[in-house]
Amino acid sequence: MSQKIRIGIVGYGNLGKGAELAVRQNTDMELVAVFSRRRLEKTLSGVPALLVDEAEAYRDKIDVMLLCGGSATDLIEQGPRFSSLFNTVDSFDTHAKIPAYYAAMEQSAKASGKAAAISVGWDPGLFSLNRLLAGAVLPQGTDYTFWGKGVSQGHSDAVRRIPGVKTAKQYTVPKQEAISGVRSGTLPPVNAHEVHVRDCYVVAEPGADLAAIETAIKTMPHYFSDYETHVSFVSEQEFEASHAGTPHGGFVFRTGQTSPDVNHVMEFALKLDSNPEFTASVLVAYARAVFRLAQHGGRGAYTVFDIPFGWLSPKSAAELRQELL
Amino acid sequence: MSQKIRIGIVGYGNLGKGAELAVRQNTDMELVAVFSRRRLEKTLSGVPALLVDEAEAYRDKIDVMLLCGGSATDLIEQGPRFSSLFNTVDSFDTHAKIPAYYAAMEQSAKASGKAAAISVGWDPGLFSLNRLLAGAVLPQGTDYTFWGKGVSQGHSDAVRRIPGVKTAKQYTVPKQEAISGVRSGTLPPVNAHEVHVRDCYVVAEPGADLAAIETAIKTMPHYFSDYETHVSFVSEQEFEASHAGTPHGGFVFRTGQTSPDVNHVMEFALKLDSNPEFTASVLVAYARAVFRLAQHGGRGAYTVFDIPFGWLSPKSAAELRQELL
């Protein structure tokens, strides 16, 4: 076995901690250090915890840096900064800003002679790949995406801001009859609010007006008013016991015709107990690809669309042909 | 729009006819000619029908040749022959012979300066891609593949050879409880015969011994004896009405853990009304990729593992990032 791929992690929230777990599952990789903005006492795996500003000293000690911050504030700044020093992988997911982010990363990574994989994860990421594939194979067809059952951070935050709410979690749940309808080829094109339910679990402050909270949720424009919304009030104890996780997932479908009355359904589905742990596992697989890309002269920004699947696997091309084709 | 990609088809069975339909759905392509071993009267689309031996004259008139023959006899010979003249795409699917076929195609295409995509379709092909992806993302996990509901040509042939059988069709059907078991994460690793049913529809000769036919099917080693097998005798009329098609499909699953008790399920599923029409649509999408590969200097043999998804789509990389990521 050749030398292991040396990985660094920037950001030590849920995604960074998931990346730490994921690197451990890949025997061709080793974690070198975790970098964060504030001084950490220690890491779960025992690798050094350093400040972001100390990263430059690791230029020759880390092959790929996993950028595990959030899109809105962290990555916009950290992406170009780190890709001027390291090969990088990130999960930039602010859809409208992807072209501008790509341009910034292309510029910084081309200038530094590094490879940068952007917007990696499952959506954007694996779902995007399946939309592209299905559209290319079935040019005449209809796309459907369902999200969930999963926690929506934005909607949970919106509920928490209502007076009288102590804490809350919102699950986006696809309607089972809609999924069955797509699978059987009978569902017409739909809007998201027609095929998803919003399920809210709320811990109220003592003495709060529960009816007023429920009304405030169900009538909230943009977030809930267009959706079938369920509100359940639970005790703090039940909330801790049953709603602590971050499950997510979803379904990408395309139904298409290759000739009259000849129909096909393509489906890609994920059911994830932990959104950050799975997303981090995708980042780590793409770290392997970025390492190889860079070794083979790859420079600049890449998306999942640009990277052949063969680079993702620790197996050689000959092994893949023999074992997996 | 730049000049269209000029496509040729070699072989005019079900797959070749499917390719003819598929090319028509892609506005950036045009079909130039169909080549077959025997002189055809005409083609469905009206393009010239020529003999295989006349293909060499089309070296400068066809960008990508779709090889639509069978693996066992046709492709072994036609693959190297055509890749010494054209960029090619084929669906070579004799699993054990893929490494040798790859070597032969690599040699002939490298020598001619052409690009050849081999073993394209859905299995091998799209299923292989999903096995690779899921294994790379979830290194600690279990793979499951289910086939069907679909027609197995080999098993249908085996039934037809039984004395007293006039014609027959065998469907491979995955057990629904097994699929549900994987989706809920409760199914242990399984063998194919535990999770598939073999469903036979048989037209018997007049006066044939039906019980003897049923016993001959159910006790046939390798093909049926290890499986739950159902035999239904139907009239010739019902057979024509209900069993003329070639539906197929299946499911590729991987279940894995990223940390103790944190489980994930990845699923890719196809439900196809026509196996050859869908397979041909995959070949045609990869023809676009091969055309671009060759334009960018790609030479030699490629599999689906080597080709980035971005090449499959008629959209530009910038459009893909903006619209599909």
Side-chain angles (χ1 to χ4, degrees), chain A residues 71-119:
Chain A
S71 305
T73 53
D74 300 338
L75 291 176
I76 287 281
E77 182 265 325
Q78 290 180 349
R81 177 175 166 191
F82 277 91
S83 64
S84 71
L85 297 168
F86 298 95
N87 301 309
T88 61
V89 180
D90 70 55
S91 63
F92 189 88
D93 65 356
T94 310
H95 181 81
K97 295 185 180 169
I98 285 176
Y101 185 70
Y102 175 87
M105 293 295 279
E106 170 77 355
Q107 190 178 11
S108 64
K110 272 269 166 67
S112 63
K114 301 292 181 183
I118 71 162
S119 300

Side-chain angles (χ1 to χ4, degrees), chain A residues 11-157:
Chain A
Y12 204 55
N14 289 334
L15 187 59
K17 288 180 181 130
E20 190 175 19
L21 292 168
V23 171
R24 221 189 298 196
Q25 292 194 323
N26 288 278
T27 54
D28 61 340
M29 299 184 180
E30 62 180 332
L31 184 60
V32 174
V34 171
F35 301 88
S36 69
R37 277 172 304 186
R38 280 158 304 183
R39 178 71 69 183
L40 302 169
E41 289 201 15
K42 58 173 186 165
T43 57
L44 294 171
S45 60
V47 301
L50 300 161
L51 290 174
V52 162
D53 291 337
E54 297 171 304
E56 191 162 353
Y58 281 77
R59 283 184 79 155
D60 299 324
K61 296 176 186 139
I62 287 174
D63 296 311
V64 185
M65 201 68 106
L66 304 177
L67 308 184
C68 296
S71 305
T73 53
D74 300 338
L75 291 176
I76 287 281
E77 182 265 325
Q78 290 180 349
R81 177 175 166 191
F82 277 91
S83 64
S84 71
L85 297 168
F86 298 95
N87 301 309
T88 61
V89 180
D90 70 55
S91 63
F92 189 88
D93 65 356
T94 310
H95 181 81
K97 295 185 180 169
I98 285 176
Y101 185 70
Y102 175 87
M105 293 295 279
E106 170 77 355
Q107 190 178 11
S108 64
K110 272 269 166 67
S112 63
K114 301 292 181 183
I118 71 162
S119 300
V120 172
W122 59 273
D123 195 7
L126 308 190
F127 275 19
S128 321
L129 283 166
N130 275 278
R131 286 185 202 111
L132 191 164
L133 177 67
V137 171
L138 296 174
Q140 292 182 11
T142 307
D143 289 314
Y144 304 85
T145 302
F146 300 95
W147 291 275
K149 179 186 175 178
V151 176
S152 165
Q153 213 53 59
H155 288 78
S156 300
D157 288 346

Side-chain angles (χ1 to χ4, degrees), chain A residues 257-259 267 269 271 277 305, chain B residues 25 258-259 265 267 269 277 310:
Chain A
Q257 291 198 332
T258 50
S259 59
E267 173 179 356
K271 187 163 164 286
E277 286 187 25
F305 300 149
Chain B
Q25 291 195 321
T258 50
S259 59
V265 183
E267 174 180 354
E277 286 188 24

Side-chain angles (χ1 to χ4, degrees), chain A residues 21-22 24-26 95 98-99 102 118-119 123-133 136-140 143 183-185 251 257-259 261-275 277-278 281-282 285-286 288 303-314 317-318 320-325, chain B residues 21-22 24-26 95 98-99 102 118-119 123-133 136-140 143 183-185 251 257-259 261-275 277-278 281-282 285-286 288 303-314 317-318 320-325:
Chain A
L21 292 168
R24 221 189 298 196
Q25 292 194 323
N26 288 278
H95 181 81
I98 285 176
Y102 175 87
I118 71 162
S119 300
D123 195 7
L126 308 190
F127 275 19
S128 321
L129 283 166
N130 275 278
R131 286 185 202 111
L132 191 164
L133 177 67
V137 171
L138 296 174
Q140 292 182 11
D143 289 314
R183 284 194 183 130
S184 67
F251 305 79
Q257 291 198 332
T258 50
S259 59
D261 292 326
V262 177
N263 300 298
H264 310 285
V265 183
M266 301 176 72
E267 173 179 356
F268 180 75
L270 296 173
K271 187 163 164 286
L272 313 174
D273 275 359
S274 163
N275 187 356
E277 286 187 25
F278 184 82
S281 296
V282 181
Y286 276 88
R288 181 181 293 115
T303 74
V304 293
F305 300 149
D306 307 313
I307 297 175
F309 278 22
W311 295 115
L312 301 174
S313 169
L320 291 174
R321 286 192 296 271
Q322 185 148 17
E323 296 170 20
L324 288 181
L325 200 58
Chain B
L21 291 169
R24 220 187 299 195
Q25 291 195 321
N26 288 278
H95 182 79
I98 285 176
Y102 174 86
I118 70 161
S119 300
D123 196 6
L126 308 190
F127 275 18
S128 321
L129 283 165
N130 275 277
R131 286 185 202 110
L132 191 164
L133 177 68
V137 171
L138 295 174
Q140 292 181 12
D143 289 314
R183 285 195 182 130
S184 66
F251 304 80
Q257 290 198 333
T258 50
S259 59
D261 293 326
V262 177
N263 300 298
H264 310 285
V265 183
M266 301 177 70
E267 174 180 354
F268 180 75
L270 296 173
K271 186 163 165 285
L272 313 174
D273 275 0
S274 163
N275 186 357
E277 286 188 24
F278 184 83
S281 295
V282 180
Y286 275 89
R288 180 181 293 116
T303 73
V304 292
F305 300 148
D306 307 313
I307 298 175
F309 278 22
W311 295 116
L312 300 173
S313 169
L320 291 174
R321 285 192 296 272
Q322 184 148 18
E323 295 170 21
L324 288 181
L325 199 58

Side-chain angles (χ1 to χ4, degrees), chain B residues 167-216:
Chain B
T167 188
K169 199 161 239 176
Q170 194 261 200
Y171 299 94
T172 305
V173 186
K175 293 183 184 175
Q176 194 53 50
E177 65 269 28
I179 292 173
S180 303
V182 178
R183 285 195 182 130
S184 66
T186 59
L187 192 75
V190 288
N191 293 315
H193 69 262
E194 300 173 281
V195 293
H196 290 92
V197 173
R198 299 206 173 278
D199 237 347
C200 303
Y201 292 84
V202 179
V203 180
E205 301 282 5
D209 180 344
L210 304 190
I213 291 173
E214 182 163 345
T215 301

Side-chain angles (χ1 to χ4, degrees), chain A residues 200-267:
Chain A
C200 304
Y201 292 84
V202 179
V203 179
E205 301 282 4
D209 180 345
L210 303 189
I213 291 173
E214 182 162 345
T215 301
I217 295 172
K218 290 186 170 175
T219 59
M220 195 186 297
H222 307 303
Y223 285 88
F224 293 102
S225 62
D226 289 341
Y227 285 81
E228 179 184 333
T229 300
H230 303 155
V231 178
S232 304
F233 291 96
V234 296
S235 68
E236 201 153 3
Q237 196 177 359
E238 187 185 334
F239 190 85
E240 295 293 332
S242 303
H243 302 288
T246 52
H248 219 308
F251 305 79
V252 174
F253 288 95
R254 188 171 175 86
T255 61
Q257 291 198 332
T258 50
S259 59
D261 292 326
V262 177
N263 300 298
H264 310 285
V265 183
M266 301 176 72
E267 173 179 356

